[in-house]
Amino acid sequence: MKSTSLNTHQQQPSRSSLSAFKARVVRLLGKKLWLPTVLYEGLPVFYALAGIAAIGTTLFVSGWYWILPFCWLLGLLCLHASIYVWRLRRHYRRSNQASDRRDHKRPSQPRKSQLSQ
């Protein structure tokens, strides 16, 4: 009687192919993701609506009591993410606005006392 292994037909990937795959994944994850403006600006609103919907579902779920804490947790996390992203963007935009105002100030006018001299 022959002893057969279950993995005789499957080949193990070589180390070089695994390292090449890891390099591709790292390169892909390292790329910047540029979203269209409509999606970018709508993310905090989407997070807030998803959080409200998740919390709202707890009012209507009657039979599956085990899912209620998960809905609450998901809802609170989405609301927190919405507020966090909104505050980060507001802070960044306000700091950029202030620096733009400082850079584009009009040159100061000479004082009257300097003109009479």
Side-chain angles (χ1 to χ4, degrees), residues 5-77:
S5 175
L6 294 176
N7 293 331
T8 55
H9 298 291
Q10 296 177 353
Q11 293 181 355
Q12 294 292 330
S14 67
R15 287 185 182 249
S16 63
S17 66
L18 281 176
S19 62
F21 176 72
K22 286 180 184 178
R24 274 188 263 138
V25 168
V26 167
R27 205 170 341 145
L28 180 65
L29 292 176
K31 285 186 178 182
K32 288 186 178 181
L33 177 68
W34 295 99
L35 294 174
T37 304
V38 174
L39 290 176
Y40 179 79
E41 294 295 332
L43 276 179
V45 175
F46 172 75
Y47 292 152
L49 291 176
I52 291 169
I55 292 173
T57 57
T58 61
L59 300 173
F60 300 106
V61 173
S62 61
W64 295 352
Y65 293 112
W66 61 271
I67 204 166
L68 295 179
F70 297 109
C71 286
W72 271 101
L73 182 63
L74 176 66
L76 292 176
L77 285 174

Coordinates of all heavy atoms in Angstrom, one line a residue, residues 5-77:
S5 N 0.6 11.7 0.0 CA 0.4 12.9 0.7 C -0.7 13.7 0.0 O -0.9 13.7 -1.2 CB 1.7 13.7 0.6 OG 1.6 15.0 1.2
L6 N -1.4 14.5 0.8 CA -2.5 15.3 0.2 C -2.0 16.5 -0.6 O -2.6 17.0 -1.5 CB -3.4 15.9 1.4 CG -4.1 14.8 2.2 CD1 -4.9 15.5 3.3 CD2 -5.1 14.1 1.2
N7 N -0.8 16.9 -0.3 CA -0.2 18.1 -1.0 C 0.7 17.7 -2.1 O 1.6 18.5 -2.5 CB 0.5 19.0 0.0 CG -0.4 19.6 1.0 OD1 -1.6 19.8 0.7 ND2 0.1 19.8 2.2
T8 N 0.6 16.6 -2.7 CA 1.5 16.2 -3.8 C 1.3 16.9 -5.0 O 2.2 17.2 -5.8 CB 1.4 14.7 -4.1 OG1 0.1 14.4 -4.4 CG2 1.9 13.9 -2.9
H9 N 0.1 17.4 -5.3 CA -0.3 18.1 -6.5 C -0.1 19.6 -6.4 O -0.1 20.3 -7.4 CB -1.7 17.7 -7.0 CG -1.9 16.3 -7.3 ND1 -1.3 15.6 -8.3 CD2 -2.6 15.3 -6.6 CE1 -1.6 14.4 -8.3 NE2 -2.4 14.1 -7.3
Q10 N 0.0 20.1 -5.2 CA 0.2 21.5 -5.0 C 1.7 21.8 -4.9 O 2.4 21.2 -4.1 CB -0.6 22.0 -3.8 CG -2.1 21.8 -3.9 CD -2.7 22.2 -2.6 OE1 -2.1 22.5 -1.6 NE2 -4.1 22.2 -2.6
Q11 N 2.1 22.8 -5.6 CA 3.5 23.3 -5.5 C 3.6 24.4 -4.5 O 2.7 25.3 -4.5 CB 4.0 23.7 -6.8 CG 4.2 22.6 -7.8 CD 4.7 23.0 -9.1 OE1 4.9 24.2 -9.3 NE2 5.0 22.1 -10.0
Q12 N 4.6 24.4 -3.7 CA 4.8 25.5 -2.8 C 5.5 26.7 -3.6 O 6.3 26.5 -4.4 CB 5.8 25.1 -1.7 CG 5.2 24.1 -0.7 CD 4.1 24.6 0.1 OE1 4.1 25.8 0.4 NE2 3.2 23.8 0.4
P13 N 5.0 27.9 -3.4 CA 5.6 29.1 -4.1 C 7.0 29.3 -3.6 O 7.4 29.1 -2.5 CB 4.7 30.2 -3.7 CG 4.0 29.8 -2.5 CD 3.9 28.3 -2.5
S14 N 7.9 29.7 -4.6 CA 9.3 29.9 -4.2 C 9.4 31.2 -3.4 O 8.6 32.0 -3.4 CB 10.1 30.0 -5.5 OG 9.8 31.1 -6.2
R15 N 10.6 31.3 -2.7 CA 10.8 32.5 -1.9 C 10.9 33.7 -2.8 O 10.5 34.8 -2.4 CB 12.1 32.3 -1.1 CG 11.9 31.3 0.0 CD 13.1 31.3 0.9 NE 13.0 30.4 1.9 CZ 12.9 30.7 3.2 NH1 13.0 31.9 3.6 NH2 12.7 29.8 4.1
S16 N 11.4 33.6 -4.0 CA 11.6 34.8 -4.8 C 10.2 35.3 -5.3 O 10.0 36.5 -5.4 CB 12.5 34.5 -6.0 OG 11.9 33.5 -6.8
S17 N 9.3 34.4 -5.6 CA 8.0 34.8 -6.0 C 7.2 35.5 -4.8 O 6.5 36.4 -5.0 CB 7.2 33.7 -6.6 OG 6.9 32.7 -5.6
L18 N 7.4 34.9 -3.6 CA 6.8 35.6 -2.4 C 7.4 37.0 -2.2 O 6.6 37.9 -1.9 CB 7.0 34.7 -1.2 CG 6.1 33.5 -1.1 CD1 6.4 32.7 0.2 CD2 4.6 33.9 -1.0
S19 N 8.7 37.1 -2.3 CA 9.2 38.4 -2.0 C 8.8 39.4 -3.1 O 8.6 40.6 -2.9 CB 10.8 38.3 -1.9 OG 11.3 37.9 -3.1
A20 N 8.7 38.9 -4.4 CA 8.2 39.8 -5.4 C 6.8 40.2 -5.2 O 6.4 41.4 -5.4 CB 8.3 39.1 -6.8
F21 N 6.0 39.3 -4.7 CA 4.6 39.6 -4.4 C 4.5 40.6 -3.3 O 3.7 41.6 -3.3 CB 3.8 38.3 -4.0 CG 2.4 38.6 -3.6 CD1 1.4 39.0 -4.5 CD2 2.1 38.5 -2.2 CE1 0.1 39.2 -4.1 CE2 0.8 38.7 -1.8 CZ -0.2 39.1 -2.7
K22 N 5.3 40.4 -2.2 CA 5.3 41.4 -1.1 C 5.8 42.8 -1.6 O 5.2 43.8 -1.1 CB 6.3 40.9 0.0 CG 5.7 39.7 0.8 CD 6.7 39.3 1.9 CE 6.2 38.1 2.6 NZ 7.2 37.6 3.6
A23 N 6.8 42.8 -2.4 CA 7.2 44.1 -3.0 C 6.1 44.8 -3.7 O 5.9 46.0 -3.6 CB 8.5 43.9 -3.8
R24 N 5.4 44.0 -4.5 CA 4.2 44.6 -5.3 C 3.2 45.2 -4.3 O 2.6 46.2 -4.6 CB 3.6 43.6 -6.2 CG 4.4 43.6 -7.6 CD 3.7 42.7 -8.6 NE 4.3 41.4 -8.5 CZ 3.8 40.3 -8.5 NH1 2.5 40.2 -8.7 NH2 4.5 39.1 -8.5
V25 N 2.9 44.4 -3.3 CA 1.8 44.8 -2.3 C 2.3 46.1 -1.6 O 1.5 47.0 -1.5 CB 1.5 43.7 -1.4 CG1 0.7 44.2 -0.2 CG2 0.8 42.5 -2.1
V26 N 3.5 46.1 -1.2 CA 4.0 47.3 -0.5 C 4.0 48.5 -1.4 O 3.7 49.6 -1.0 CB 5.5 47.0 0.1 CG1 6.1 48.3 0.5 CG2 5.4 46.0 1.2
R27 N 4.4 48.3 -2.6 CA 4.4 49.4 -3.6 C 3.0 49.9 -3.9 O 2.7 51.1 -3.9 CB 5.0 49.0 -4.9 CG 5.6 50.1 -5.7 CD 6.4 49.5 -6.9 NE 6.8 48.2 -6.7 CZ 6.8 47.2 -7.6 NH1 6.7 47.5 -8.8 NH2 7.2 46.0 -7.3
L28 N 2.0 49.0 -3.9 CA 0.6 49.4 -4.2 C 0.1 50.1 -3.0 O -0.6 51.1 -3.1 CB -0.2 48.1 -4.5 CG -1.7 48.4 -4.7 CD1 -1.9 49.2 -6.0 CD2 -2.4 47.0 -4.8
L29 N 0.4 49.7 -1.8 CA -0.1 50.3 -0.6 C 0.6 51.7 -0.3 O 0.0 52.5 0.3 CB 0.1 49.4 0.7 CG -0.8 48.2 0.7 CD1 -0.4 47.3 1.9 CD2 -2.3 48.5 0.7
G30 N 1.7 51.8 -0.8 CA 2.5 53.1 -0.6 C 2.0 54.2 -1.6 O 2.4 55.4 -1.4
K31 N 1.3 53.9 -2.6 CA 0.8 54.9 -3.6 C -0.2 55.8 -3.0 O -1.0 55.4 -2.1 CB 0.2 54.2 -4.8 CG 1.3 53.6 -5.7 CD 0.6 53.1 -7.0 CE 1.6 52.6 -7.9 NZ 1.0 52.1 -9.2
K32 N -0.2 57.0 -3.4 CA -1.2 58.0 -2.9 C -2.5 57.7 -3.6 O -2.5 57.4 -4.8 CB -0.8 59.4 -3.1 CG 0.3 59.8 -2.2 CD 0.6 61.3 -2.4 CE 1.7 61.7 -1.5 NZ 2.0 63.2 -1.6
L33 N -3.6 57.8 -2.9 CA -4.9 57.6 -3.5 C -5.6 59.0 -3.7 O -5.8 59.7 -2.8 CB -5.8 56.7 -2.5 CG -7.2 56.5 -2.9 CD1 -7.2 55.6 -4.2 CD2 -7.9 55.8 -1.8
W34 N -5.9 59.3 -4.9 CA -6.5 60.5 -5.3 C -8.0 60.3 -5.6 O -8.3 59.6 -6.6 CB -5.8 61.2 -6.4 CG -4.4 61.6 -6.1 CD1 -3.3 61.0 -6.4 CD2 -4.0 62.8 -5.3 NE1 -2.2 61.6 -5.9 CE2 -2.6 62.8 -5.2 CE3 -4.7 63.8 -4.7 CZ2 -1.9 63.7 -4.5 CZ3 -4.0 64.8 -4.1 CH2 -2.7 64.7 -4.0
L35 N -8.9 60.8 -4.8 CA -10.3 60.6 -5.1 C -10.8 61.9 -5.8 O -10.3 63.0 -5.7 CB -11.0 60.5 -3.8 CG -10.8 59.3 -2.9 CD1 -11.5 59.4 -1.6 CD2 -11.2 58.0 -3.6
P36 N -11.9 61.7 -6.6 CA -12.5 62.9 -7.2 C -13.1 63.8 -6.1 O -13.4 63.3 -5.0 CB -13.7 62.3 -8.0 CG -13.3 60.8 -8.2 CD -12.5 60.4 -7.1
T37 N -13.1 65.1 -6.4 CA -13.5 66.1 -5.4 C -14.8 65.8 -4.7 O -15.0 65.9 -3.5 CB -13.5 67.5 -6.0 OG1 -12.3 67.7 -6.6 CG2 -13.8 68.5 -5.0
V38 N -15.8 65.3 -5.5 CA -17.1 65.1 -5.0 C -17.1 63.9 -3.9 O -17.7 64.1 -2.8 CB -18.1 64.7 -6.1 CG1 -19.4 64.2 -5.6 CG2 -18.3 65.8 -7.1
L39 N -16.3 62.9 -4.2 CA -16.2 61.8 -3.2 C -15.4 62.2 -2.0 O -15.7 61.9 -0.9 CB -15.5 60.6 -3.9 CG -16.3 59.8 -4.9 CD1 -15.5 58.7 -5.5 CD2 -17.6 59.3 -4.3
Y40 N -14.3 63.0 -2.2 CA -13.5 63.5 -1.2 C -14.2 64.3 -0.2 O -14.1 64.2 1.0 CB -12.3 64.2 -1.7 CG -11.3 64.7 -0.7 CD1 -10.4 63.9 -0.1 CD2 -11.3 66.1 -0.3 CE1 -9.5 64.4 0.9 CE2 -10.5 66.6 0.6 CZ -9.6 65.7 1.2 OH -8.7 66.2 2.2
E41 N -15.0 65.3 -0.7 CA -15.8 66.2 0.1 C -16.9 65.5 0.8 O -17.4 65.9 1.9 CB -16.2 67.4 -0.7 CG -15.1 68.3 -1.2 CD -14.4 69.0 -0.1 OE1 -14.9 69.2 1.0 OE2 -13.2 69.2 -0.3
G42 N -17.4 64.4 0.2 CA -18.6 63.7 0.7 C -18.3 62.7 1.8 O -19.2 62.1 2.4
L43 N -17.0 62.3 2.0 CA -16.7 61.3 2.9 C -17.2 61.5 4.3 O -17.8 60.6 5.0 CB -15.2 61.0 2.9 CG -14.7 60.0 1.8 CD1 -13.2 59.9 1.9 CD2 -15.4 58.7 1.9
P44 N -17.0 62.7 4.9 CA -17.5 62.9 6.3 C -19.0 62.8 6.4 O -19.5 62.2 7.3 CB -17.0 64.3 6.6 CG -15.9 64.6 5.7 CD -16.2 63.8 4.5
V45 N -19.7 63.2 5.3 CA -21.2 63.1 5.3 C -21.6 61.6 5.2 O -22.5 61.2 5.9 CB -21.8 63.9 4.1 CG1 -23.3 63.7 4.0 CG2 -21.4 65.4 4.3
F46 N -20.9 60.9 4.4 CA -21.1 59.5 4.3 C -20.9 58.7 5.6 O -21.7 57.9 6.0 CB -20.3 58.8 3.2 CG -20.4 57.3 3.1 CD1 -21.5 56.7 2.6 CD2 -19.4 56.5 3.6 CE1 -21.7 55.4 2.6 CE2 -19.5 55.2 3.6 CZ -20.6 54.6 3.0
Y47 N -19.8 59.1 6.3 CA -19.5 58.4 7.6 C -20.6 58.8 8.6 O -21.0 57.9 9.3 CB -18.1 58.9 8.1 CG -16.9 58.5 7.3 CD1 -15.8 59.2 7.3 CD2 -16.9 57.3 6.6 CE1 -14.6 58.8 6.7 CE2 -15.8 56.9 5.9 CZ -14.7 57.6 6.0 OH -13.6 57.2 5.3
A48 N -21.0 60.0 8.6 CA -22.1 60.4 9.5 C -23.4 59.7 9.2 O -24.1 59.2 10.2 CB -22.3 61.9 9.5
L49 N -23.8 59.6 8.0 CA -25.0 58.9 7.6 C -24.9 57.4 7.9 O -25.9 56.8 8.4 CB -25.3 59.1 6.1 CG -25.7 60.6 5.8 CD1 -25.9 60.7 4.3 CD2 -27.0 61.0 6.5
A50 N -23.8 56.8 7.7 CA -23.6 55.4 8.0 C -23.7 55.2 9.5 O -24.3 54.2 10.0 CB -22.2 54.9 7.4
G51 N -23.1 56.1 10.3 CA -23.2 56.0 11.7 C -24.6 56.1 12.2 O -25.1 55.3 13.1
I52 N -25.3 57.1 11.7 CA -26.7 57.3 12.1 C -27.6 56.1 11.7 O -28.4 55.6 12.5 CB -27.3 58.6 11.5 CG1 -26.6 59.8 12.2 CG2 -28.8 58.7 11.7 CD1 -26.8 61.1 11.5
A53 N -27.3 55.5 10.5 CA -28.1 54.4 10.1 C -27.8 53.1 10.9 O -28.7 52.4 11.3 CB -27.7 54.1 8.6
A54 N -26.5 53.0 11.3 CA -26.1 51.8 12.1 C -26.8 51.9 13.5 O -27.3 50.9 14.1 CB -24.6 51.7 12.3
I55 N -26.8 53.1 14.1 CA -27.4 53.3 15.4 C -28.9 53.2 15.3 O -29.6 52.6 16.1 CB -27.0 54.6 16.0 CG1 -25.5 54.6 16.4 CG2 -27.8 55.0 17.2 CD1 -24.9 55.9 16.9
G56 N -29.5 53.7 14.2 CA -30.9 53.6 13.9 C -31.4 52.2 13.7 O -32.5 51.9 14.1
T57 N -30.6 51.3 13.2 CA -31.0 49.9 13.0 C -31.2 49.3 14.4 O -32.0 48.3 14.4 CB -30.0 49.1 12.2 OG1 -28.7 49.2 12.9 CG2 -29.9 49.6 10.8
T58 N -30.6 49.7 15.4 CA -30.8 49.1 16.7 C -32.2 49.3 17.2 O -32.7 48.5 18.0 CB -29.8 49.6 17.7 OG1 -30.0 51.0 17.9 CG2 -28.4 49.3 17.3
L59 N -32.9 50.3 16.7 CA -34.3 50.5 17.1 C -35.2 49.5 16.5 O -36.3 49.3 17.0 CB -34.7 52.0 16.7 CG -33.9 53.1 17.4 CD1 -34.3 54.4 16.8 CD2 -34.1 53.1 18.9
F60 N -34.9 49.0 15.3 CA -35.8 48.2 14.6 C -35.4 46.7 14.6 O -36.2 45.9 14.1 CB -35.8 48.7 13.1 CG -36.3 50.1 13.0 CD1 -35.5 51.1 12.7 CD2 -37.7 50.4 13.3 CE1 -35.9 52.4 12.6 CE2 -38.1 51.7 13.2 CZ -37.2 52.7 12.9
V61 N -34.2 46.3 15.1 CA -33.9 44.9 15.2 C -34.5 44.3 16.4 O -34.4 44.8 17.5 CB -32.3 44.8 15.3 CG1 -31.9 43.3 15.5 CG2 -31.7 45.3 14.0
S62 N -35.4 43.3 16.1 CA -36.1 42.7 17.3 C -35.6 41.3 17.7 O -35.6 41.0 18.8 CB -37.6 42.7 16.9 OG -37.8 41.8 15.8
G63 N -35.2 40.5 16.7 CA -34.9 39.1 17.0 C -33.4 38.9 17.3 O -33.1 37.9 18.0
W64 N -32.5 39.6 16.7 CA -31.1 39.3 16.8 C -30.5 40.3 17.8 O -29.8 41.3 17.5 CB -30.4 39.5 15.5 CG -30.8 38.6 14.4 CD1 -31.7 37.5 14.5 CD2 -30.5 38.7 13.0 NE1 -31.8 36.9 13.3 CE2 -31.1 37.6 12.4 CE3 -29.7 39.5 12.3 CZ2 -30.9 37.4 11.0 CZ3 -29.6 39.3 10.9 CH2 -30.2 38.2 10.3
Y65 N -30.6 39.9 19.1 CA -30.1 40.8 20.1 C -28.5 40.8 20.2 O -28.0 41.8 20.7 CB -30.6 40.4 21.5 CG -32.1 40.6 21.6 CD1 -33.0 39.5 21.6 CD2 -32.6 41.9 21.6 CE1 -34.4 39.7 21.7 CE2 -34.0 42.1 21.6 CZ -34.8 41.0 21.7 OH -36.2 41.3 21.8
W66 N -27.9 39.8 19.7 CA -26.5 39.7 19.7 C -25.8 40.8 18.8 O -24.7 41.1 19.0 CB -26.0 38.3 19.3 CG -26.4 37.9 17.9 CD1 -27.5 37.3 17.6 CD2 -25.6 38.2 16.7 NE1 -27.6 37.1 16.2 CE2 -26.4 37.6 15.7 CE3 -24.4 38.8 16.4 CZ2 -26.0 37.7 14.3 CZ3 -24.0 38.8 15.1 CH2 -24.8 38.3 14.1
I67 N -26.6 41.3 17.8 CA -26.0 42.2 16.8 C -26.1 43.6 17.3 O -25.4 44.5 16.8 CB -26.7 42.0 15.4 CG1 -25.7 42.5 14.4 CG2 -28.0 42.8 15.4 CD1 -26.1 42.1 13.0
L68 N -26.9 43.9 18.3 CA -27.1 45.3 18.8 C -25.8 46.0 19.2 O -25.6 47.1 18.8 CB -28.2 45.3 19.8 CG -29.6 44.9 19.4 CD1 -30.5 45.0 20.6 CD2 -30.0 45.8 18.3
P69 N -25.0 45.3 20.0 CA -23.7 46.0 20.4 C -22.8 46.3 19.3 O -22.1 47.4 19.2 CB -23.1 45.1 21.4 CG -24.1 44.1 21.8 CD -25.1 44.1 20.8
F70 N -22.8 45.5 18.3 CA -22.0 45.7 17.1 C -22.5 46.9 16.3 O -21.7 47.7 15.8 CB -21.9 44.4 16.2 CG -21.2 43.3 16.9 CD1 -22.0 42.2 17.3 CD2 -19.9 43.3 17.2 CE1 -21.4 41.1 18.0 CE2 -19.3 42.3 17.9 CZ -20.0 41.2 18.3
C71 N -23.8 47.0 16.2 CA -24.4 48.1 15.5 C -24.1 49.4 16.2 O -23.7 50.4 15.6 CB -25.9 48.0 15.3 SG -26.4 46.8 14.1
W72 N -24.2 49.4 17.5 CA -23.8 50.6 18.3 C -22.4 51.0 18.1 O -22.0 52.1 17.9 CB -24.1 50.4 19.8 CG -25.5 50.8 20.2 CD1 -26.5 49.9 20.4 CD2 -26.0 52.1 20.3 NE1 -27.7 50.6 20.7 CE2 -27.4 52.0 20.7 CE3 -25.4 53.3 20.3 CZ2 -28.2 53.1 20.9 CZ3 -26.2 54.5 20.5 CH2 -27.6 54.3 20.9
L73 N -21.5 50.0 18.2 CA -20.1 50.2 18.0 C -19.7 50.8 16.7 O -19.0 51.7 16.5 CB -19.3 48.9 18.3 CG -17.8 49.0 18.2 CD1 -17.3 50.0 19.3 CD2 -17.1 47.7 18.4
L74 N -20.3 50.1 15.6 CA -20.1 50.6 14.3 C -20.6 52.0 14.1 O -19.9 52.9 13.5 CB -20.8 49.7 13.3 CG -20.7 50.1 11.8 CD1 -19.2 50.0 11.3 CD2 -21.6 49.2 10.9
G75 N -21.8 52.3 14.6 CA -22.3 53.6 14.5 C -21.5 54.7 15.2 O -21.2 55.8 14.6
L76 N -21.0 54.4 16.4 CA -20.2 55.3 17.1 C -18.8 55.5 16.4 O -18.3 56.6 16.4 CB -20.0 54.9 18.6 CG -21.2 54.9 19.4 CD1 -20.9 54.4 20.8 CD2 -21.8 56.3 19.5
L77 N -18.3 54.4 15.9 CA -17.0 54.6 15.2 C -17.2 55.4 13.9 O -16.3 56.3 13.6 CB -16.5 53.2 14.8 CG -15.8 52.4 15.9 CD1 -15.5 51.0 15.5 CD2 -14.6 53.1 16.5

